[in-house]
Amino acid sequence: MSTPAVTTRPIAFSGYHQPKDRPVEELTAQVGPGTPCGEYMRRFWHPFLLSEQLSHRPKVVRVLGEDLVLYRDLSGDLGLVHKHCAHRGASLEFGIIAEHGIRCCYHGWLFANDGTILETPGEPPASPIKERFCQGAYPVIEHEGVIFTYMGPPHLKPAFPMMDAMLMPNNRMKPYLIHSPCNWQQVSENSMDPFHVAFLHTRVSGPQFSEVFAELPIIDYHETELGFFYTNARRVGEFIWIRMHDHLLPNFSQNGAIFENVSKVRYFGRPGLTRWVTPVDDHNTYVIAWRHFNDRDDPLHQGRPENNGVGKTDFYGQSGDDPYEVRQDSPGDWDAWCSLGKVTSHEREHLGTTDRGVAFLRRRIKRAIEDLQRGIEPVKPDPVPGLGIATAGGDTILRIPKGEGDDRELILKTSQAVAAAYVKTQHLPDEERRQAITDMLAPLNTADPGQINPDHGKIFEFKTVA
Amino acid sequence: MSTPAVTTRPIAFSGYHQPKDRPVEELTAQVGPGTPCGEYMRRFWHPFLLSEQLSHRPKVVRVLGEDLVLYRDLSGDLGLVHKHCAHRGASLEFGIIAEHGIRCCYHGWLFANDGTILETPGEPPASPIKERFCQGAYPVIEHEGVIFTYMGPPHLKPAFPMMDAMLMPNNRMKPYLIHSPCNWQQVSENSMDPFHVAFLHTRVSGPQFSEVFAELPIIDYHETELGFFYTNARRVGEFIWIRMHDHLLPNFSQNGAIFENVSKVRYFGRPGLTRWVTPVDDHNTYVIAWRHFNDRDDPLHQGRPENNGVGKTDFYGQSGDDPYEVRQDSPGDWDAWCSLGKVTSHEREHLGTTDRGVAFLRRRIKRAIEDLQRGIEPVKPDPVPGLGIATAGGDTILRIPKGEGDDRELILKTSQAVAAAYVKTQHLPDEERRQAITDMLAPLNTADPGQINPDHGKIFEFKTVA
Amino acid sequence: MSTPAVTTRPIAFSGYHQPKDRPVEELTAQVGPGTPCGEYMRRFWHPFLLSEQLSHRPKVVRVLGEDLVLYRDLSGDLGLVHKHCAHRGASLEFGIIAEHGIRCCYHGWLFANDGTILETPGEPPASPIKERFCQGAYPVIEHEGVIFTYMGPPHLKPAFPMMDAMLMPNNRMKPYLIHSPCNWQQVSENSMDPFHVAFLHTRVSGPQFSEVFAELPIIDYHETELGFFYTNARRVGEFIWIRMHDHLLPNFSQNGAIFENVSKVRYFGRPGLTRWVTPVDDHNTYVIAWRHFNDRDDPLHQGRPENNGVGKTDFYGQSGDDPYEVRQDSPGDWDAWCSLGKVTSHEREHLGTTDRGVAFLRRRIKRAIEDLQRGIEPVKPDPVPGLGIATAGGDTILRIPKGEGDDRELILKTSQAVAAAYVKTQHLPDEERRQAITDMLAPLNTADPGQINPDHGKIFEFKTVA
């Protein structure tokens, strides 16, 4: 018998007996047209380009496995159409941009931004050809330097996913876009996995963000109609530090501040970034996000807006630009998720209790895909005009020194109290919500909430991007 | 239901409902051995290399999907053999060229240029091994700096396709070869599509050749036993300008002069180029052509022989060498046909009346392939010795100002008279034919046929290759 | 009928009728896990890297189609594990090397060098997760600058293949590793094909090693339990020169001296190299060998140890580093075996009598694979401690001038006598064996065995690597 007996038992030097294939979870990995997950993804708006990437010439882009051409017509409107002209197939990247719409270079047909045909020169004036077909087109929204599209059924188009964090007062948003040569799930799931921070970013190769992260967090997941938020709590000296993370289905996330010193009490700090993970195709993914810069959440101005843009952001490990050896010595998020392979194999994983968040996320997405296959449309974010969609991402820090009892129990309960305060206040505008949360949480402090911890203001050495 | 309903109706922003696949017309796209179109193509001589590309060393080439090695043996004869040695498979690109034939580097076997085995050193002298097999080889003809092969059944080998234009007196022929990374049909069909000239080359991005081309032409197709010729007629002031185009099946074409000023009467001008579109494989194609340079058809000497050769010719848009942005701003033929994709999808096109020529060509080729599948060999060009194969390509210009009636009707009738004169005279040698055509067409001029139109001699700004 | 009739009869210009496909002999070409040949290869130790290629960082390697990570832990031990972490799949090339074992960068799990799990931080202390699975790992042996692994069933692990030539006294071993982008068989079979030397290396493009090789050799193959050795005999003036070659199944070989002047009598000269041909995967192969440098076999010190290493060795034609034109003019072994294609087609070969050795080797390997499929394990080398595995590779030269009879008969009989002497003495240590062989063969000399042939000491012009 030449076929090796496959086993996963822990035998020394058992490479021979380990399974060698890495089967792909196709249901959730495939995003092309007509695939179950591709259909599901086509129920949401996705960012796919930064405004700065678009010149006055047409630009080929790829989103959800479709080749498209984006352009800004002479009137200033954006058009996003299928790459190949519906007439003979020439690429509209060579199209000539018109006052309204784009004209194919080959035979001069003119398409409106919505894909309908405006002119078919050379055809008889009475020709009904314009009525018989059109160019595939998708609606586009440009917001604060980021371009979004919705590629699903026109009649099901949801509202633009305006998040409350995108409406913060006195906040500067700077977008970035970074490519990862792997499946979207690997990138997206990373944000539901708070435990990797303790290892990848801190213990394993020295602190990339903050030594505080070396402490294993106490995590509590909360499901919502739109996805999840979770509390990520740690003791830092006399403080309990609660980071709130959002993950809205399928591919949206926010976390806490990028640079957080945990040196004094904070209430309802807001996210350091507002992020989408957009599938380019099954094997390529963009992280497209706004970094937020404001005095409230980055009082020391440690963030660097100018280091955000195409291919770069201002915190460690988000791209493959560093030399391979540097990334080997101190691997970042990008290295971790890309190194899973083009598409990772769920079947070959061995999940532990620390992988709970990833498991939750997968289950929800799988259920949503299967629901859609049965005709049940997914719930979509429905932003309140002027307020946006309420999210939780950001940090709350309370001054609650260790007590007599089990400290982990104390941390967990505190984080649950914080979560409850967030949920109760989610109908309020930013400042009011902050005040309400403060009012609810301030009594939990067991010492002067304004006091600064002199020990914790200096211990952090960040690897910022120079 | 998660599968989108596919429709081609012109709905605004209906990208979701458009078909996303691009099925290939395999019958005509595939050229490899044993494919229907590959068999059909193997009934004709095809050029595949310029003489200047061959040094004293063997050269790997690829034609109709086959990997071959071309060499010039020490006696000066050319050999074209399958790449892998029939003995053990070593590539004959490492073969050592002999006085007659080529010797494999690995074990020294010597092959004649016709593929038969001359020596099998190391084998017993009486070994019958030489009688049992041979190296695949194809006949080769070198003509005026271009190397042709015939890859079909030996007993069906046609005559070398000597065109009359290749025998023009006082004419300099300069060959060029340009690669396109796409299927041969996309390149070949371009020459049966005179309408693209009005758009791609003129209206869309400014005149690449002549402003005159902006006028939509009046086209009249004529089928012949060997393929097509068509008249491409326009009014230019007091002149009617009739360009004649040849398309011989499957992949041969000639058009009018590359630089034509339409400033005086001409009779039976001859083609600016004599061109084949040779499939390298299903996804790669060579245009191999001779540009013609002579006083008769290019009296101002606007053509530049020295700008023709490997990868280049002296008129606009025939290669991808210009920067992408330049090609986006003023796309050429090469950009148009390559941008259809590796292999375009006929099924996803929407042909109009201006695509008549392309439709005619496809129908003829498809019929010829299907005939061959039923055992009916295609008609092949049969050149008359000394005269070659009669073709039509070139320009005739008559001085026929607008009359009272429908001018388009007048232009069409004039072009039909010209076509008739060409057909009636096609048994004559060049100069005699020209005289006969002149005699037949001169009476159609309604004013002094020698008069030069002062308005039309200067309006053309050509994009020549610097 | 459009399908060409396939024939292999030697018809002139019959390329059309030759088969165009090149079917692969999958049984012996495929080396991945679970393939018949892959299973067979997994019964042997294979070298896969030079020590000098491994730094203090983990290194991705590929052996027998498996992606692995090699590292030297802080205690100095080597570990070779599957690339993807058994937990979530992150690549261990980003792992952090520990005192013993390697820690995954993503969640900090620690693996021992044997693949068992030492730590699963973040999991509850009592978690049984460590007992449920492990990381695939393979045993590694490092010897004289070369790293070997055994990837088969642990309980069938054979002894390290210590060859007698690796134990020669007063010998310097210098390893080299060279990549070939083709299937392992093409590289491995080359050493069972002594006839190519007369052509590839000598006659075809001038002497690469020695003019003496232009003489067609008299070859006699001997099968052994472990594979083959063969005698490769030539007359050189008054000498009969017998080169001995080893080929142990599946992929081990040794030949004679790299630089041999055939100027005096020698007994039991030893191999110039000790070589494995390791499949990286189906289409990539490493030659990994030690070159031997000693006064006995290279008395003129023509070898250059410093020219051996990663990608290079000190004799001609073993890599693709020379310019293409240089390799066309004087192709080497590397050019020959690579030019057969990614995987050559046995079905399209036409073997002659000179291909006997290749045919023998294929038959044995095929039989061994089929035996293993039926559960019969292959015979594996069983080195005698201190002596290693007895091999034959090297040169013996006897002074036996031409006699009255058939010289080829004389050469063959002499080489058979030499072979018999080698076989009879193979239980002896190096020096004793040499003496015994000398005692047995010296009487065959018909003139003073110590006499130097003044004619043969100077005729050789070697192409050494500069």
Side-chain angles (χ1 to χ4, degrees):
Chain A
M1 255 306 295
S2 77
T3 308
V6 170
T7 175
T8 55
R9 275 181 308 135
I11 303 167
F13 296 115
S14 66
Y16 178 79
H17 291 294
Q18 299 296 321
K20 307 297 189 305
D21 57 338
R22 304 187 79 226
V24 167
E25 182 69 33
E26 296 187 351
L27 184 77
T28 52
Q30 297 180 344
V31 298
T35 62
C37 184
E39 276 304 300
Y40 170 61
M41 296 300 278
R42 279 167 177 75
R43 294 314 190 262
F44 301 90
W45 286 91
H46 301 284
F48 64 96
L49 204 80
L50 303 193
S51 300
E52 64 176 278
Q53 297 179 275
L54 182 64
S55 74
H56 66 284
R57 295 188 178 95
K59 185 166 183 71
V60 175
V61 296
R62 193 166 163 83
V63 191
L64 298 178
E66 297 185 31
D67 290 319
L68 305 167
V69 168
L70 177 76
Y71 59 91
R72 192 182 304 278
D73 71 17
L74 300 181
S75 78
D77 292 336
L78 292 174
L80 180 64
V81 290
H82 279 136
K83 182 179 172 189
H84 292 287
C85 175
H87 172 216
R88 287 284 312 283
S91 171
L92 291 173
E93 78 195 278
F94 293 105
I96 305 302
I97 291 172
E99 182 65 23
H100 296 288
I102 193 166
R103 193 180 285 282
C104 179
C105 73
Y106 208 4
H107 300 87
W109 290 26
L110 178 65
F111 301 99
N113 294 340
D114 69 4
T116 53
I117 306 174
L118 299 175
E119 295 178 16
T120 56
E123 294 304 310
S127 166
I129 199 164
K130 283 201 279 288
E131 320 307 326
R132 288 213 306 265
F133 62 97
C134 66
Q135 183 71 15
Y138 295 112
V140 172
I141 290 177
E142 187 173 22
H143 183 76
E144 293 276 344
V146 179
I147 303 172
F148 289 72
T149 188
Y150 167 77
M151 294 167 64
H155 68 289
L156 296 174
K157 187 174 76 174
F160 180 75
M162 182 69 74
M163 303 292 164
D164 55 2
M166 292 155 63
L167 294 167
M168 286 192 287
N170 303 316
N171 178 49
R172 177 175 174 197
M173 289 161 70
K174 188 74 165 49
Y176 72 87
L177 172 152
I178 298 176
H179 173 250
S180 292
C182 65
N183 189 258
W184 74 281
Q185 297 178 94
Q186 296 160 221
V187 184
S188 185
E189 290 173 353
N190 184 264
S191 74
M192 277 293 276
D193 168 17
F195 291 97
H196 84 268
V197 177
F199 298 96
L200 181 64
H201 300 324
T202 315
R203 287 191 192 180
V204 158
S205 52
Q208 292 172 353
F209 299 104
S210 158
E211 287 180 7
V212 167
F213 286 130
E215 183 76 20
L216 267 185
I218 293 163
I219 306 293
D220 201 28
Y221 291 93
H222 300 264
E223 289 209 50
T224 71
E225 204 188 28
L226 295 177
F228 301 89
F229 74 93
Y230 63 87
T231 54
N232 179 354
R234 282 178 175 83
R235 166 156 306 285
V236 181
E238 59 201 345
F239 296 102
I240 292 176
W241 173 29
I242 296 133
R243 268 169 102 68
M244 310 293 288
H245 295 250
D246 298 296
H247 197 109
L248 272 52
L249 298 178
N251 59 341
F252 174 83
S253 65
Q254 291 181 145
N255 50 14
I258 299 295
F259 305 102
E260 176 54 69
N261 292 5
V262 196
S263 59
K264 60 186 248 190
V265 166
R266 293 174 72 63
Y267 298 99
F268 192 51
R270 298 297 353 241
L273 49 79
T274 288
R275 181 180 97 143
W276 282 262
V277 169
T278 301
V280 174
D281 53 29
D282 293 358
H283 300 135
N284 292 282
T285 299
Y286 285 142
V287 166
I288 301 184
W290 283 288
R291 280 274 287 115
H292 299 292
F293 300 95
N294 57 68
D295 292 343
R296 196 166 93 181
D297 296 306
D298 183 12
L300 303 180
H301 299 148
Q302 293 175 284
R304 301 221 187 148
E306 69 277 15
N307 285 345
N308 289 273
V310 179
K312 63 182 183 180
T313 186
D314 63 332
F315 58 104
Y316 190 76
Q318 303 305 300
S319 82
D321 280 354
D322 278 326
Y324 178 59
E325 289 76 13
V326 169
R327 294 187 289 112
Q328 277 193 301
D329 290 346
S330 183
D333 283 319
W334 192 93
D335 302 307
W337 66 53
C338 290
S339 86
L340 303 179
K342 280 272 167 214
V343 188
T344 196
S345 174
H346 297 177
E347 202 173 324
R348 290 288 164 261
E349 291 175 328
H350 294 90
L351 299 189
T353 57
T354 49
D355 303 300
R356 227 160 50 233
V358 169
F360 287 152
L361 178 60
R362 289 179 184 171
R363 212 174 302 147
R364 278 289 291 272
I365 287 178
K366 199 173 163 201
R367 199 166 63 213
I369 292 171
E370 289 167 347
D371 278 351
L372 184 59
Q373 289 181 306
R374 289 194 304 267
I376 304 166
E377 289 289 326
V379 176
K380 290 161 218 167
D382 187 19
V384 179
L387 295 187
I389 299 155
T391 61
D395 303 82
T396 282
I397 301 167
L398 300 174
R399 190 170 185 280
I400 306 175
K402 272 190 196 176
E404 301 291 298
D406 179 347
D407 195 48
R408 294 183 65 83
E409 191 64 27
L410 174 64
I411 295 170
L412 179 60
K413 286 206 162 146
T414 305
S415 66
Q416 286 167 341
V418 172
Y422 276 46
V423 170
K424 265 183 218 141
T425 58
Q426 64 188 3
H427 58 289
L428 298 174
D430 185 82
E431 278 303 324
E432 283 177 54
R433 189 177 182 195
R434 193 184 196 200
Q435 193 53 57
I437 288 170
T438 304
D439 293 345
M440 292 164 76
L441 297 180
L444 299 183
N445 289 301
T446 54
D448 174 6
Q451 185 186 314
I452 292 180
N453 174 355
D455 292 341
H456 288 92
K458 300 167 195 135
I459 60 170
F460 311 114
E461 295 184 10
F462 302 101
K463 293 198 187 180
T464 52
V465 176
Chain B
M1 254 306 295
S2 77
T3 308
V6 170
T7 175
T8 56
R9 276 181 307 135
I11 303 168
F13 296 115
S14 65
Y16 177 79
H17 291 295
Q18 298 296 321
K20 307 297 189 304
D21 58 337
R22 303 187 80 228
V24 167
E25 182 70 34
E26 297 187 350
L27 184 77
T28 52
Q30 297 180 345
V31 298
T35 62
C37 183
E39 277 303 301
Y40 171 60
M41 297 299 280
R42 279 167 177 75
R43 294 312 189 263
F44 301 91
W45 287 90
H46 301 284
F48 65 95
L49 204 80
L50 303 192
S51 300
E52 64 175 277
Q53 297 179 274
L54 182 64
S55 74
H56 65 284
R57 295 188 178 95
K59 185 165 183 71
V60 175
V61 296
R62 193 166 163 81
V63 192
L64 299 179
E66 297 186 29
D67 290 318
L68 306 167
V69 168
L70 176 76
Y71 59 90
R72 194 183 302 279
D73 72 16
L74 300 182
S75 78
D77 292 337
L78 292 173
L80 180 65
V81 290
H82 278 137
K83 182 180 171 189
H84 291 287
C85 175
H87 172 214
R88 287 284 312 282
S91 172
L92 291 172
E93 79 196 276
F94 293 105
I96 306 303
I97 291 171
E99 182 65 22
H100 296 288
I102 193 166
R103 193 180 285 283
C104 178
C105 74
Y106 208 4
H107 300 88
W109 290 26
L110 179 65
F111 301 98
N113 294 340
D114 68 4
T116 54
I117 306 173
L118 299 175
E119 296 178 16
T120 55
E123 294 305 309
S127 165
I129 198 164
K130 281 201 281 288
E131 321 306 326
R132 288 213 307 263
F133 63 97
C134 67
Q135 183 71 15
Y138 295 111
V140 172
I141 290 177
E142 187 173 22
H143 183 78
E144 293 275 346
V146 179
I147 304 173
F148 289 71
T149 188
Y150 166 76
M151 294 167 64
H155 67 290
L156 296 174
K157 188 174 76 175
F160 180 74
M162 182 69 75
M163 302 293 162
D164 55 3
M166 292 155 62
L167 295 167
M168 286 191 285
N170 304 314
N171 179 49
R172 177 175 173 195
M173 289 161 70
K174 188 74 167 46
Y176 72 86
L177 171 152
I178 298 177
H179 173 250
S180 293
C182 66
N183 189 258
W184 74 282
Q185 297 178 95
Q186 297 158 220
V187 184
S188 185
E189 290 172 354
N190 184 263
S191 73
M192 277 293 276
D193 169 17
F195 292 97
H196 84 268
V197 177
F199 297 97
L200 181 64
H201 299 325
T202 314
R203 287 192 192 178
V204 158
S205 53
Q208 291 172 353
F209 299 105
S210 159
E211 287 179 9
V212 168
F213 286 130
E215 183 75 20
L216 267 185
I218 293 164
I219 306 293
D220 201 29
Y221 292 93
H222 300 263
E223 288 209 52
T224 69
E225 204 187 30
L226 295 178
F228 300 90
F229 74 94
Y230 63 87
T231 55
N232 180 354
R234 281 178 176 82
R235 166 155 307 285
V236 181
E238 58 200 347
F239 296 102
I240 292 176
W241 172 29
I242 295 133
R243 268 169 100 70
M244 309 293 288
H245 294 251
D246 297 296
H247 197 110
L248 272 52
L249 298 177
N251 59 341
F252 174 84
S253 66
Q254 291 181 146
N255 50 14
I258 299 295
F259 305 102
E260 176 53 69
N261 292 3
V262 197
S263 61
K264 60 186 245 188
V265 166
R266 294 174 71 66
Y267 300 99
F268 193 50
R270 298 294 358 239
L273 50 77
T274 289
R275 181 180 98 142
W276 281 262
V277 169
T278 301
V280 174
D281 53 29
D282 293 358
H283 300 136
N284 292 282
T285 299
Y286 286 142
V287 167
I288 301 184
W290 283 288
R291 280 275 287 115
H292 298 293
F293 299 94
N294 56 68
D295 293 342
R296 194 165 95 181
D297 296 307
D298 184 12
L300 304 180
H301 298 148
Q302 293 175 282
R304 301 221 187 147
E306 69 277 16
N307 285 345
N308 289 274
V310 179
K312 63 181 183 182
T313 185
D314 63 333
F315 58 105
Y316 190 76
Q318 303 304 300
S319 82
D321 280 353
D322 278 326
Y324 178 59
E325 289 75 14
V326 169
R327 295 187 289 111
Q328 278 193 301
D329 290 346
S330 182
D333 284 318
W334 192 92
D335 302 306
W337 66 52
C338 290
S339 85
L340 303 179
K342 282 270 166 215
V343 188
T344 196
S345 173
H346 297 176
E347 202 172 324
R348 290 288 163 260
E349 292 174 329
H350 293 90
L351 299 189
T353 58
T354 48
D355 302 300
R356 228 160 50 232
V358 169
F360 287 152
L361 178 60
R362 288 180 184 170
R363 212 174 301 148
R364 278 290 290 272
I365 287 178
K366 199 174 164 199
R367 199 166 62 212
I369 292 171
E370 288 167 347
D371 278 351
L372 184 59
Q373 288 181 306
R374 288 195 304 268
I376 304 166
E377 288 289 325
V379 177
K380 290 163 217 165
D382 187 19
V384 180
L387 295 186
I389 299 156
T391 61
D395 303 82
T396 281
I397 301 167
L398 299 175
R399 189 171 184 280
I400 306 176
K402 270 191 196 176
E404 300 291 297
D406 179 347
D407 194 48
R408 294 182 67 83
E409 190 64 26
L410 175 64
I411 296 170
L412 179 61
K413 286 206 164 147
T414 305
S415 67
Q416 286 168 341
V418 174
Y422 276 46
V423 170
K424 264 183 217 140
T425 58
Q426 63 187 3
H427 59 289
L428 298 174
D430 184 81
E431 278 303 325
E432 284 177 55
R433 190 179 181 194
R434 194 184 197 200
Q435 193 53 56
I437 288 170
T438 303
D439 293 345
M440 292 165 76
L441 297 180
L444 298 183
N445 289 301
T446 55
D448 175 5
Q451 185 186 315
I452 293 180
N453 174 356
D455 292 340
H456 287 93
K458 301 165 191 133
I459 60 169
F460 311 114
E461 296 184 12
F462 303 101
K463 293 198 187 180
T464 52
V465 177
Chain C
M1 255 305 296
S2 77
T3 309
V6 171
T7 175
T8 57
R9 277 182 307 137
I11 304 168
F13 296 115
S14 65
Y16 177 79
H17 291 294
Q18 298 296 321
K20 308 296 189 306
D21 58 336
R22 304 187 78 229
V24 167
E25 182 69 35
E26 295 186 352
L27 183 78
T28 52
Q30 297 180 344
V31 298
T35 62
C37 183
E39 277 302 300
Y40 171 61
M41 297 298 279
R42 279 167 178 75
R43 295 311 191 262
F44 300 90
W45 287 90
H46 301 284
F48 64 95
L49 204 80
L50 303 193
S51 300
E52 64 176 277
Q53 296 178 276
L54 182 64
S55 74
H56 66 283
R57 294 189 179 94
K59 185 167 183 69
V60 175
V61 295
R62 193 166 163 84
V63 191
L64 299 177
E66 298 185 29
D67 289 319
L68 305 167
V69 168
L70 177 75
Y71 59 91
R72 193 183 303 280
D73 72 17
L74 300 181
S75 77
D77 292 336
L78 292 174
L80 180 64
V81 290
H82 278 136
K83 182 180 172 189
H84 292 287
C85 175
H87 172 214
R88 288 284 313 284
S91 172
L92 291 172
E93 78 196 278
F94 293 105
I96 306 303
I97 291 172
E99 182 66 23
H100 296 287
I102 193 166
R103 193 179 286 281
C104 179
C105 73
Y106 208 4
H107 300 88
W109 290 26
L110 178 66
F111 301 98
N113 294 341
D114 68 4
T116 54
I117 306 173
L118 298 175
E119 295 178 16
T120 56
E123 294 304 309
S127 166
I129 198 165
K130 282 201 279 287
E131 321 306 326
R132 289 213 307 265
F133 62 97
C134 67
Q135 183 71 15
Y138 295 111
V140 173
I141 290 176
E142 187 174 21
H143 183 78
E144 292 277 345
V146 178
I147 304 173
F148 289 71
T149 188
Y150 167 77
M151 294 167 62
H155 67 288
L156 296 174
K157 188 173 77 175
F160 180 74
M162 183 68 75
M163 303 292 163
D164 55 3
M166 291 155 61
L167 295 167
M168 287 192 285
N170 304 317
N171 179 49
R172 178 176 172 196
M173 288 161 71
K174 188 75 166 50
Y176 72 86
L177 171 151
I178 298 177
H179 173 249
S180 292
C182 65
N183 188 260
W184 74 282
Q185 296 177 94
Q186 297 158 221
V187 185
S188 185
E189 291 172 354
N190 184 265
S191 74
M192 277 293 276
D193 168 17
F195 292 97
H196 84 268
V197 177
F199 298 96
L200 180 65
H201 299 325
T202 315
R203 288 192 191 180
V204 158
S205 52
Q208 291 173 353
F209 298 105
S210 159
E211 287 179 9
V212 167
F213 286 130
E215 183 76 22
L216 267 185
I218 293 163
I219 306 293
D220 202 28
Y221 291 94
H222 300 264
E223 289 209 50
T224 70
E225 204 187 30
L226 295 177
F228 300 90
F229 74 94
Y230 64 86
T231 55
N232 179 354
R234 282 177 175 82
R235 165 156 306 285
V236 181
E238 60 200 348
F239 296 102
I240 293 177
W241 172 29
I242 296 133
R243 268 168 102 68
M244 311 293 288
H245 294 251
D246 297 296
H247 197 110
L248 272 52
L249 297 178
N251 60 340
F252 174 84
S253 66
Q254 290 181 144
N255 51 14
I258 299 295
F259 305 102
E260 176 54 70
N261 292 5
V262 197
S263 60
K264 58 186 252 189
V265 166
R266 291 175 72 64
Y267 298 100
F268 192 51
R270 299 295 355 240
L273 50 78
T274 289
R275 182 180 97 142
W276 282 261
V277 170
T278 301
V280 174
D281 53 30
D282 293 358
H283 299 136
N284 291 281
T285 299
Y286 285 141
V287 167
I288 301 183
W290 282 287
R291 281 275 288 115
H292 298 293
F293 300 94
N294 57 66
D295 293 342
R296 194 166 95 180
D297 296 306
D298 182 13
L300 303 181
H301 298 148
Q302 292 175 283
R304 301 224 186 144
E306 69 277 16
N307 285 346
N308 289 273
V310 179
K312 63 181 184 182
T313 186
D314 63 333
F315 58 105
Y316 191 76
Q318 303 306 300
S319 82
D321 280 353
D322 278 326
Y324 178 60
E325 289 77 13
V326 169
R327 295 186 289 112
Q328 278 193 299
D329 291 346
S330 183
D333 284 319
W334 192 93
D335 302 306
W337 66 53
C338 290
S339 85
L340 304 179
K342 281 271 166 213
V343 188
T344 196
S345 174
H346 297 176
E347 203 172 323
R348 290 288 163 260
E349 292 175 328
H350 293 89
L351 299 189
T353 58
T354 49
D355 302 300
R356 229 158 51 231
V358 169
F360 288 151
L361 177 60
R362 289 181 185 171
R363 211 173 303 147
R364 277 289 291 271
I365 287 178
K366 199 173 163 200
R367 199 166 63 213
I369 291 171
E370 289 167 347
D371 279 351
L372 183 59
Q373 288 182 306
R374 289 194 304 269
I376 304 165
E377 288 289 326
V379 176
K380 288 162 220 166
D382 187 19
V384 179
L387 295 187
I389 299 155
T391 62
D395 303 82
T396 281
I397 300 166
L398 300 174
R399 190 169 183 281
I400 306 176
K402 272 192 193 173
E404 301 290 299
D406 178 347
D407 194 48
R408 294 183 64 84
E409 190 64 27
L410 174 64
I411 294 170
L412 179 60
K413 285 205 164 146
T414 305
S415 68
Q416 287 168 341
V418 173
Y422 275 45
V423 170
K424 263 182 218 141
T425 58
Q426 64 187 2
H427 59 288
L428 299 174
D430 184 82
E431 278 303 325
E432 285 177 52
R433 189 179 181 193
R434 193 182 196 202
Q435 193 54 56
I437 287 170
T438 304
D439 293 345
M440 293 165 75
L441 296 180
L444 298 183
N445 289 300
T446 54
D448 175 3
Q451 186 188 313
I452 291 179
N453 174 357
D455 292 340
H456 287 93
K458 299 166 193 134
I459 60 169
F460 310 114
E461 295 184 12
F462 303 101
K463 292 200 188 179
T464 51
V465 176

